[in-house]
Amino acid sequence: RVPVAADSGVGLVPPAVSALFVTGEKDTYGPPETLRRWAASAAPPPEVVIVPAADHFFAGHLDELESAIGSFLAAIPVGAAR
């Protein structure tokens, strides 16, 4: 079962901390517009990255996925999780 695509995020609890959601532009399991709408309702709103032309598995787009995750993690201040 896929919460965002199946239920438009209904019942999916937004994170209470900084979060990153990465989806592909062509992701049928987590459609970008559905994810953006759901993320906009969260506080704080999570960062949403849409990888152009990527599907759910990021086939051929793993470098972009790695870059999005790396950039997000690099922006977290040292010691923030303590």
Side-chain angles (χ1 to χ4, degrees):
R1 184 173 150 120
V2 183
V4 174
D7 301 326
S8 300
V10 172
L12 186 61
V13 179
V17 297
S18 294
L20 169 68
F21 289 86
V22 185
T23 191
E25 178 182 41
K26 298 179 180 181
D27 190 337
T28 57
Y29 294 99
E33 286 309 313
T34 303
L35 180 58
R36 280 190 184 121
R37 278 192 306 275
W38 174 83
S41 70
E47 182 175 344
V48 175
V49 175
I50 311 300
V51 178
D55 63 10
H56 184 72
F57 300 100
F58 298 95
H61 299 277
L62 293 177
D63 288 342
E64 293 102 311
L65 175 61
E66 179 182 3
S67 177
I69 295 169
S71 295
F72 178 78
L73 293 176
I76 298 172
V78 175
R82 295 182 188 165

